[in-house]
Amino acid sequence: MSEKSTANSADNAKGPSWGAGAATGVGSMPGGDARDAAKTVTGSLETLPYLPELPARGPGADMIGRTAGLLVEVYAHVEPSGWRISDRPGRDTRRARSWMREDLDALEEFTQGYQGALKVSAVGPWTLAAGLELRGGEAALNDAGACRDLAASLAEGLRGHLAEVRRRVPGAQVVLQLDEPSLTAVARGRVRSASGYRTYAAVDRGVLEGALRDVIAVADGPVVVHSCAPGVPFGLLRRAGAAGVSFDFSLLTEREEEAIGEAVEAGTSLFVGAVPGTDTPLSDPAGSVMGVRTLWRRLGLSPGTLAESVVVTPACGLAGASPAYARAALAHCVRAARSLADNPE
């Protein structure tokens, strides 16, 4: 990797642009109305709103298809088994790009005059490689060359996408979120083949880190990596240049605690999924983040760093929630984050 790319990765890992006591969402929202989703997100989140994803609209609005529409000189179409790489852009690619334009139009409408951090998300290189099929039906993950090509195409596509977001919302400090729910499975050799009778070989940690670092390097701002799967590799993500790691707090085990402490001490922000992502009665906001305070004490971290290091989020996307609960969950995250700032101990 070039010296310039290395410098960019280091810059991305510097201090956050969203301030202390922040809250945000993970990405997806219920329903299919882009304007309604953008209005809800921007109205609920003052310090770190985000570009909503609406997978209920169907193929092309789903996680893999939405990101496939951003790729440069790599195209994909829908098969019964999922998204498959194509020779040329077809109806599915055009639909994904059309929905992204619709989402950006809605975001632009509701962020007029906005100044501050703004989060956009895309699937990261390894979840994309696990979720996109080659022409023969096996995942791109099965071919090291295909993985490299996908990562390069994704990096170039994100460069253009982030520039478009900055053009539409000129006051935004854009934060890129890479969604990597399959990363741990890729690292441990647990992604199943097309037949389901075997798994693909585990990818070397250095190769995993290198691809992530190259994609992170294209973002002229902080990059957060999200995974709602167990066993998030905090150390690997920190070394790759991630400024923040987003995870489901309920899946955390003692095995990750040392890595979390090291990440926080190195300046990595924690996007803590502390609020359920589907309809459920919500406790008081302070109670939702009580476990975070307890973890801080157990790790011997300074209470004064808590609100600066933690961003409160739902446990995962809100696509499976009712619209009313999605609004309530985002508001609850805001109040929970404020409680951390007001009473870190």
Side-chain angles (χ1 to χ4, degrees):
M1 187 172 58
S2 68
E3 290 181 5
K4 181 178 179 181
S5 294
T6 303
N8 284 346
S9 282
D11 287 345
N12 289 343
K14 290 180 180 177
S17 58
W18 43 81
T24 191
V26 171
S28 66
M29 292 287 286
D33 188 321
R35 291 187 73 256
D36 184 59
K39 182 178 181 181
T40 296
V41 166
T42 56
S44 302
L45 303 167
E46 294 182 1
T47 57
L48 189 49
Y50 61 96
L51 176 64
E53 303 167 18
L54 300 171
R57 293 181 297 196
D62 60 297
M63 185 173 72
I64 296 294
R66 183 178 174 87
T67 298
L70 297 176
L71 298 176
V72 173
E73 297 183 356
V74 175
Y75 313 105
H77 67 278
V78 178
E79 292 280 345
S81 55
W83 284 88
R84 183 171 295 182
I85 291 175
S86 307
D87 292 323
R88 59 184 64 85
R91 177 183 59 188
D92 296 328
T93 297
R94 290 192 293 270
R95 182 169 52 217
R97 292 175 176 175
S98 174
W99 273 329
M100 180 65 81
R101 286 193 297 271
E102 182 180 312
D103 293 343
L104 289 171
D105 287 344
L107 182 73
E108 183 178 5
E109 177 183 349
F110 289 101
T111 52
Q112 294 294 311
Y114 176 74
Q115 301 279 334
L118 174 67
K119 184 166 68 68
V120 300
S121 56
V123 174
W126 294 110
T127 296
L128 191 64
L132 263 183
E133 298 175 356
L134 300 174
R135 291 172 183 82
E138 294 293 346
L141 184 63
N142 196 44
D143 184 321
C147 290
R148 288 192 294 271
D149 291 345
L150 267 182
S153 175
L154 175 62
E156 195 59 32
L158 285 173
R159 195 190 308 276
H161 180 54
L162 296 174
E164 174 69 5
V165 173
R166 293 187 185 99
R167 185 188 69 78
R168 288 171 174 264
V169 192
Q173 300 160 1
V174 180
V175 178
L176 172 63
Q177 175 180 300
L178 294 175
D179 293 321
E180 282 284 13
S182 298
L183 180 60
T184 300
V186 169
R188 297 178 179 176
R190 294 179 179 172
V191 178
R192 292 205 166 272
S193 66
S195 67
Y197 293 119
R198 65 181 181 89
T199 56
Y200 299 116
V203 177
D204 179 80
R205 290 273 173 146
V207 176
L208 290 173
E209 185 179 319
L212 284 165
R213 187 182 296 112
D214 288 346
V215 174
I216 286 171
V218 305
D220 187 18
V223 176
V224 176
V225 180
H226 167 73
S227 174
C228 51
V232 177
F234 289 90
L236 184 150
L237 297 176
R238 176 172 56 84
R239 291 190 300 272
V245 180
S246 171
F247 60 99
D248 181 344
F249 189 74
S250 70
L251 299 180
L252 202 64
T253 67
E254 290 184 9
R255 289 193 300 272
E256 286 92 47
E257 289 190 3
E258 183 178 350
I260 286 178
E262 292 174 354
V264 171
E265 290 177 344
T268 305
S269 294
L270 303 180
F271 282 57
V272 177
V275 177
T278 53
D279 294 44
T280 190
L282 295 170
S283 68
D284 69 286
S288 294
V289 288
M290 186 181 301
V292 182
R293 292 189 180 91
T294 301
L295 174 65
W296 227 251
R297 288 194 297 270
R298 194 159 61 241
L299 293 175
L301 297 170
S302 168
T305 66
L306 181 54
E308 297 175 356
S309 300
V310 169
V311 177
V312 179
T313 77
C316 207
L318 293 168
S322 66
Y325 179 81
R327 288 190 295 271
L330 292 179
H332 193 85
C333 288
V334 171
R335 291 192 293 270
R338 192 172 300 133
S339 79
L340 287 180
D342 293 342
N343 182 22
E345 298 188 71

